[in-house]
Amino acid sequence: MYTAPTLDFFGQLNLGVALPALAVMFGSMIVLLMGLFVPRERRHSVPIAALSLISAGFIMTLFTFNPPDAEAFGGMYRGDAFANMLNLIVLATAFLAILGSTDYLRMTQINHPEYYTLLLLSTSGAMIMAGANDLLLIFIALELLSIPLYVLAAFRTTDGTPTDEVSSKSQESGIKYFILGAFSSAFFVYGAALVYGATGTTNLNAVAEAVQGLAAAGDFGTAGTLLLLGAALILVGLGFKVAAVPFHMWTPDVYEGSPTPVTAFMSVAAKAGGFASLLRIVAVGLAALAVRPEEAAAWQPAFQLVAILTLVLGNVVALAQNNLKRMLAYSSIAHAGYILMAVAAVGSAPLVEGIGDSAAQSILIYLAAYMFTNLGAFAVVSAVEREDGSGVMLDDLNGLFNTRPWLAVAMAIFMLSLTGIPLTAGFIGKYLVINAAVQAGLIALAVVGVLTSVVSAFYYMRVIVNMFLRSEAEGVALPVVGQPLLVAVYASMAGTLVLGILPTLLTGLVNLVQLV
Amino acid sequence: MNFSVPTEAFIVLSMVLFVLGAMGVMLRKNAIIVFMSVEMMLNAANLAFVAFARQWMHLEGQVFVFFVMTVAAAEVAVGLALIVAIFRNRNSTNIDALHQMEG
């Protein structure tokens, strides 16, 4: 019998839970058109529009924080508390990054309105990645996150020739990021193909069912080989994105060459998106992939190894850096290692009750703490950076306490938080991920985490010593710092301290997180 | 007699293509050739998807292939623009010459 088409289909899509990400994605188009039609002398309204869009997305996320029915697009997207918490983190990242961008773009004469569109598109990519529950959507969101970032990394390109050193560095970082990013996506896609071949589906919940079915039958057979190989390739692909060792080679060069606000944004947003997908794939899709039931997941040793390598190499090589941006790049590699500790802990889910959810919660709190701290540190870097890209060596911070006391105090707090000193946000995050590793029975991993944390204190303290105990070079004029950038610095400082002193403000939200 | 190529053959071919592509990315010096090698890796994955879709007798894998092709096209747009910008600046697309930043 003929049935007339109805609008029920749109109700079934359940778009409401995906609204924040969709709003940011479509809103970025409005920002693009604004850049086209708004006359040049009123261009300052473009970042304001971008900031309002992000605030609107933030409010929408809070309203739909833990919806009763989180599935949208037929199960491809899950707008659950996990996704929404990450959305809040990514939106805050974009907000602070835009505050830090306006003056930087003007100073370096790259004040093109497309910058904000690209930043917003990348933000929406990270937001969709946080909720993506299907390998297909994860892949598309990953590219939506990455492709604008390739452009942004190379954004300091001057039109005319000859080009100066800064713009050629920016181009170099763009192409390095692009080639390794595309390389890693190819690994991810091939891994997804193998998982699809073994299970016949790309939806993570259906993958989990198929894996459980195979585990119950007691014999994985060829499917087991395909799944293990697929999981390994996905780890390689997403490992590149989150800068885990041995897939980290691009990180220092890209972080050094990119415009500083872009570095700040990518160091947090790309990691948040990458870890969201990695966690969903292993905790939801491949949780039951074990050699024998009642045993830790078969992928756990690989994750442990990568975490240990990342922790050791990131922290040790950071000791030898003299450039602040490079040092923060190695520090961000090390922080990926701490988060990977919690991801590895998820592998013990068949043995330890509730470890999956508590590890996911610890990752969210870690990312929130890392977001405030790292964005603040990069904001201070762009406050001392000069037009020609100089002024970002460690020695350039000498005597900052005498010339700009508040910036120095803020930077000191960020460094203490990155080390993980109590009363800062970094301590809470580090405590929780190490706690997750201990609960999961990964004692060796936890010990490595604590020891490398001690090593990291050396290079973070060097910054503090330079700022407070050394005296400044004579006759070097400090660049003028704009108001928005200062707001970003102080907001990050407040966030770092508030999270460190009153973590309950965040744990209330995070305790709602369950990975299904 | 009804004989068709078994899925295993497609998967082995796709693995060979993938490894060749990965080696191309790591060993070649010209940015455009490196980029072509990445495309070859993506197409290896596409082949695997189509073969598995035939094996499972449904279309999900084939749909995935369309998305991979679209995304690869978007990557081409950005990647070639970057390569052209670099070429204008340095008159070379040799990626080994890109070592302004080290350490």
Side-chain angles (χ1 to χ4, degrees):
Chain A
M1 202 190 90
Y2 172 78
T3 45
T6 62
L7 288 176
D8 284 353
F9 168 73
F10 295 99
Q12 282 158 13
L13 281 183
N14 200 10
L15 289 176
V17 294
L19 196 61
L22 294 176
V24 173
M25 201 193 323
F26 289 110
S28 69
M29 295 297 116
I30 297 172
V31 174
L32 182 68
L33 290 178
M34 274 183 76
L36 193 61
F37 291 117
V38 171
R40 191 167 285 273
E41 63 275 12
R42 299 233 299 272
R43 282 278 167 80
H44 55 266
S45 57
V46 176
I48 295 174
L51 288 177
S52 356
L53 181 64
I54 291 169
S55 316
F58 202 88
I59 293 166
M60 280 183 227
T61 311
L62 283 177
F63 269 105
T64 59
F65 191 77
N66 195 17
D69 177 19
E71 279 194 359
F73 299 111
M76 276 198 139
Y77 182 92
R78 283 190 64 86
D80 49 13
F82 176 74
N84 283 324
M85 190 62 223
L86 277 161
N87 282 354
L88 294 182
I89 293 173
V90 172
L91 285 168
T93 308
F95 196 93
L96 293 172
I98 288 179
L99 283 182
S101 299
T102 48
D103 289 308
Y104 184 90
L105 294 183
R106 208 167 300 134
M107 177 181 87
T108 53
Q109 284 145 23
I110 47 168
N111 198 5
H112 310 298
E114 295 83 8
Y115 176 92
Y116 300 102
T117 311
L118 291 167
L119 201 79
L120 287 171
L121 275 176
S122 189
T123 308
S124 69
M127 291 171 77
I128 296 172
M129 221 174 158
N133 197 34
D134 190 295
L135 292 171
L136 176 54
L137 191 58
I138 291 176
F139 171 62
I140 295 177
L142 178 69
E143 294 298 319
L144 183 57
L145 165 70
S146 307
I147 293 177
L149 278 181
Y150 306 148
V151 184
L152 285 174
F155 210 75
R156 256 197 104 163
T157 302
T158 43
D159 298 331
T161 44
T163 41
D164 54 356
E165 196 199 331
V166 195
S167 73
S168 99
K169 265 189 183 178
S170 179
Q171 281 179 352
E172 181 178 329
S173 79
I175 193 121
K176 278 184 176 164
Y177 196 26
F178 166 73
I179 287 178
L180 284 167
F183 189 48
S184 68
S185 328
F187 275 96
F188 179 84
V189 176
Y190 204 84
L194 294 182
V195 171
Y196 170 70
T199 59
T201 174
T202 52
N203 183 293
L204 292 182
N205 294 115
V207 167
E209 266 173 43
V211 174
Q212 269 160 12
L214 289 168
D219 180 26
F220 279 102
T222 330
T225 319
L226 289 179
L227 279 172
L228 271 183
L229 205 54
L233 289 174
I234 287 174
L235 171 63
V236 173
L238 291 175
F240 266 107
K241 293 288 165 199
V242 301
V245 179
F247 320 114
H248 66 286
M249 304 79 70
W250 57 273
T251 320
D253 289 353
V254 172
Y255 279 26
E256 186 191 337
S258 303
T260 310
V262 174
T263 311
F265 177 78
M266 77 167 93
S267 75
V268 181
K271 268 198 196 5
F275 275 116
S277 293
L278 197 58
L279 193 63
R280 250 190 227 272
I281 290 171
V282 297
V284 176
L286 303 174
L289 182 63
V291 183
R292 277 179 292 276
E294 304 303 312
E295 222 178 63
W299 42 262
Q300 195 184 39
F303 276 73
Q304 262 181 285
L305 181 68
V306 173
I308 290 177
L309 286 176
T310 311
L311 285 168
V312 172
L313 191 130
N315 279 316
V316 170
V317 181
L319 288 172
Q321 300 305 317
N322 291 318
N323 182 314
L324 257 180
K325 280 168 97 175
R326 278 187 100 79
M327 189 206 88
L328 286 172
Y330 280 105
S331 128
S332 90
I333 294 174
H335 285 278
Y338 293 108
I339 303 175
L340 272 171
M341 281 171 64
V343 180
V346 176
S348 299
L351 308 172
V352 186
E353 182 133 1
I355 187 73
D357 288 338
S358 68
Q361 290 163 5
S362 74
I363 288 174
L364 290 176
I365 293 188
Y366 197 98
L367 277 172
Y370 173 75
M371 182 265 292
F372 281 123
T373 314
N374 220 41
L375 285 176
F378 274 112
V380 174
V381 173
S382 48
V384 296
E385 184 176 351
R386 280 184 287 271
E387 200 179 327
D388 58 355
S390 67
V392 294
M393 304 307 280
L394 273 181
D395 291 337
D396 291 319
L397 285 181
N398 286 356
L400 190 70
F401 184 63
N402 300 330
T403 48
R404 293 190 188 281
W406 282 105
L407 271 187
V409 168
M411 188 65 164
I413 289 172
F414 299 139
M415 290 299 123
L416 292 175
S417 176
L418 286 172
T419 321
I421 303 288
L423 291 185
T424 59
F427 170 73
I428 308 289
K430 231 168 233 183
Y431 168 76
L432 286 171
V433 291
I434 291 175
N435 190 29
V438 171
Q439 271 180 17
L442 310 175
I443 307 294
L445 186 58
V447 169
V448 173
V450 174
L451 289 180
T452 50
S453 192
V454 175
V455 173
S456 76
F458 284 100
Y459 59 87
Y460 293 130
M461 291 310 147
R462 255 176 87 197
V463 175
I464 298 183
V465 167
N466 279 4
M467 289 189 306
F468 286 83
L469 301 180
R470 301 239 169 108
S471 50
E472 65 272 29
E474 293 286 319
V476 180
L478 276 171
V480 184
V481 185
Q483 284 297 325
L485 183 62
L486 282 181
V487 172
V489 172
Y490 296 136
S492 311
M493 182 169 84
T496 308
L497 288 175
V498 168
L499 269 189
I501 296 165
L502 287 172
T504 39
L505 289 177
L506 197 62
T507 46
L509 280 181
V510 170
N511 281 340
L512 297 170
V513 169
Q514 277 181 319
L515 279 177
V516 186
Chain B
M1 200 175 92
N2 189 1
F3 178 80
S4 67
V5 183
T7 308
E8 293 81 2
F10 286 112
I11 303 306
V12 169
L13 175 63
S14 88
M15 282 183 178
V16 169
L17 283 175
F18 186 81
V19 172
L20 282 177
M23 284 168 64
V25 172
M26 287 185 277
L27 300 176
R28 297 305 292 262
K29 296 187 187 332
N30 187 316
I32 304 220
I33 306 254
V34 168
F35 191 38
M36 279 163 58
S37 304
V38 170
E39 295 291 308
M40 190 153 94
M41 292 169 75
L42 286 174
N43 282 325
N46 285 349
L47 179 62
F49 263 117
V50 174
F52 281 130
R54 194 187 67 152
Q55 176 81 4
W56 285 97
M57 306 241 272
H58 54 54
L59 290 174
E60 258 186 79
Q62 305 207 11
V63 173
F64 206 121
V65 169
F66 280 111
F67 282 95
V68 173
M69 291 197 297
T70 319
V71 165
E75 267 181 358
V76 170
V78 169
L80 286 184
L82 280 172
I83 293 173
V84 168
I86 293 249
F87 183 77
R88 272 206 220 156
N89 195 357
R90 310 180 187 219
N91 269 326
S92 139
T93 54
N94 187 340
I95 48 172
D96 283 358
L98 298 172
H99 48 66
Q100 224 173 345
M101 297 169 283
E102 261 168 297

